[in-house]
Amino acid sequence: MAGQANYAPDAATIERLARDALARLPEAFRAHLGDVVLRVEEFAADAVLDELGIEDPFDLTGLYSGRPVGEKSSGDSGTLPDMIHLYRRPILDEWVETGVSLEALVTHVLVHEVGHHFGLSDADMHALEEAAG
């Protein structure tokens, strides 16, 4: 890669890759993701890590917060919007360790969190990831 600068992709780059991955999801899924907020942060907050029992912040690359689609009700008004959090530093760390393309890794993490939004099984998430390419 002669002439290419060595740099760590910033949050905007991670978000662009994630939005591109969202755009590749089947329409049946995209139609239910319009209100989901996508956030790219450096790491999960300490309170989130504590709640999940995770000691090393590099162990969490993404998180879905909200209620799965099938569990929503009309009484949910006033609740926070559903969110997909992508954690830049752990994603970059995994990218360097695995050698997987950054695009493929961001797609994998995003699809996993989208899967939680829909209450999907791991097998369903794998099929969705295949569809998102």
Side-chain angles (χ1 to χ4, degrees):
M1 291 187 212
Q4 183 176 358
N6 291 328
Y7 67 95
D10 61 10
T13 300
I14 302 291
E15 181 175 347
R16 180 182 52 76
L17 291 171
R19 293 201 182 281
D20 289 349
L22 282 172
R24 291 190 307 270
L25 292 174
E27 173 56 31
F29 289 94
R30 287 194 325 264
H32 296 282
L33 293 169
D35 293 335
V36 175
V37 175
L38 177 63
R39 293 187 62 178
V40 178
E41 300 161 340
E42 290 299 294
F43 289 104
D46 288 341
V48 170
L49 295 169
D50 291 346
E51 183 180 325
L52 296 173
I54 297 173
E55 292 184 20
D56 185 349
F58 281 97
D59 287 343
L60 187 63
T61 54
L63 180 70
Y64 168 75
S65 60
R67 293 183 64 188
V69 170
E71 296 178 17
K72 295 192 181 297
S73 73
S74 59
D76 286 345
S77 67
T79 60
L80 290 173
D82 294 335
M83 289 188 186
I84 292 175
H85 305 263
L86 299 178
Y87 301 116
R88 188 182 83 88
R89 294 282 307 281
I91 287 172
L92 295 180
D93 200 52
E94 188 170 328
W95 175 50
V96 169
E97 286 179 9
T98 64
V100 171
S101 77
L102 186 58
E103 179 181 21
L105 182 57
V106 169
T107 297
H108 172 76
V109 174
L110 178 82
V111 166
H112 187 82
E113 303 316 325
V114 166
H116 287 302
H117 175 66
F118 288 99
L120 299 179
S121 69
D122 283 341
D124 291 336
M125 285 185 218
H126 181 72
L128 181 57
E129 188 172 356
E130 290 290 320

